[in-house]
Structures are given as C-alpha cells and as structure tokens.
Amino acid sequence: MELSFHYMLMTNHLVLQKKLMNSLRADGLTLGQPKVLDYLMEHDGANQKEIAQACHIEPASLTSILNGMEEKGMIERKMLHGNRRSMHIFVSPKGRQLQKSISDAFKALEDAAFAGISENDRSKFMHIFKQIYDNLTEN
C-alpha cells in the first residue's frame, strides 16, 4: 500500500505534536502555547492579529491561548503609543525561561526526525516542503 502525501503529512504532524507536548508537559504548556512562544521569540511585542496570521491560529482560539498564557505569567499584554484598540504581546521572564525549553524540544524533535538523512537530502526536502507551502498558500 502506497501512503498518500496528505496521510503522511497529517500523521507526521500529529506524532510531532504529541511528542512535543509530552516533552513539555512538566512545563505546564498546553496545545498552541509552544507555537506562540516560539513566534514571540523572534517577534516580541507583536499584536494578536500578527500572531494569529503567523501561527495559523483562528483569532478566537488565539485569544483563549493568550488568556491561559497570561494567567500562567508567560506573557504580558501592553498598550503601545496610547492606542487602546491594539494590545501588544510581550514575553515575560517566565515565558523567556519556557522559550528555552521549547527551543530545545523543537531541536531534539527535528534531530530525531532527520536522523540518518544527509544534510543535502534534508536541504532538498526543506526546499520542496517550502514550495508545497507556497503552492498551498498562493491566492
């Protein structure tokens, strides 16, 4: 039986997500939070719309994720330039500590995923995978 692209993509995503959450369970992170903290590592102070778009999360779902992160002290919401309509999300000191765990977990998973695969093949795969993403997100 030949496996289809969509099946392999979905199952790999689910396996990766499950392994990630298992490795971060002790940190008290829930689904969606690692992705948001990972994004904020490079974009601290982003607004909710930017985070939702970059992380491919529906705005209502992101609000719930951010509320949980704020309650746990991982992030802080701040107004910039007196604009009450636009809250910006900043990583707290606790969130910065968690970012290190997340970064380490992502690196370990990527290393495991590409074990036994040459750097050349990995590079080719990532190039093709990016092209697939571009193809699927073109409007």
Side-chain angles (χ1 to χ4, degrees):
M1 175 179 137
E2 188 174 325
L3 299 174
S4 66
F5 170 77
H6 76 271
Y7 178 80
M8 291 305 302
L9 186 63
M10 287 188 304
T11 56
N12 277 307
H13 172 73
L14 291 172
V15 168
L16 185 78
Q17 189 173 38
K18 185 176 182 178
K19 286 182 177 282
L20 177 68
M21 296 314 297
N22 283 339
S23 69
L24 296 173
R25 181 175 289 138
D27 292 317
L29 291 160
T30 60
L31 206 56
Q33 293 175 345
K35 181 172 27 176
V36 171
L37 276 175
D38 190 53
Y39 176 76
L40 289 172
M41 192 177 318
E42 302 275 331
H43 303 91
D44 200 22
N47 64 40
Q48 285 189 218
K49 183 178 180 181
E50 294 165 339
I51 298 168
Q53 287 175 341
C55 294
H56 302 279
I57 299 173
E58 292 297 321
S61 298
L62 179 61
T63 298
S64 177
I65 291 168
L66 292 175
N67 287 343
M69 292 173 75
E70 190 173 33
E71 287 172 15
K72 293 178 182 177
M74 296 178 208
I75 60 159
E76 299 169 352
R77 289 179 167 126
K78 295 180 185 176
M79 230 186 334
L80 291 184
H81 314 297
N83 184 351
R84 294 183 197 186
R85 293 180 295 154
S86 181
M87 296 297 280
H88 292 260
I89 312 304
F90 293 88
V91 181
S92 70
K94 179 179 180 178
R96 293 208 183 283
Q97 291 174 340
L98 290 171
Q99 281 178 328
K100 173 75 171 115
S101 295
I102 292 165
S103 181
D104 291 346
F106 278 134
K107 169 113 175 57
L109 284 170
E110 285 186 24
D111 289 347
F114 286 102
I117 298 172
S118 73
E119 189 60 39
N120 187 44
D121 285 348
R122 180 179 180 161
S123 180
K124 286 179 188 175
F125 171 80
M126 291 304 295
H127 176 77
I128 293 167
F129 210 47
K130 170 74 167 74
Q131 183 63 53
I132 292 168
Y133 173 80
D134 291 345
N135 291 344
L136 292 174
T137 56
E138 280 183 0
N139 291 334

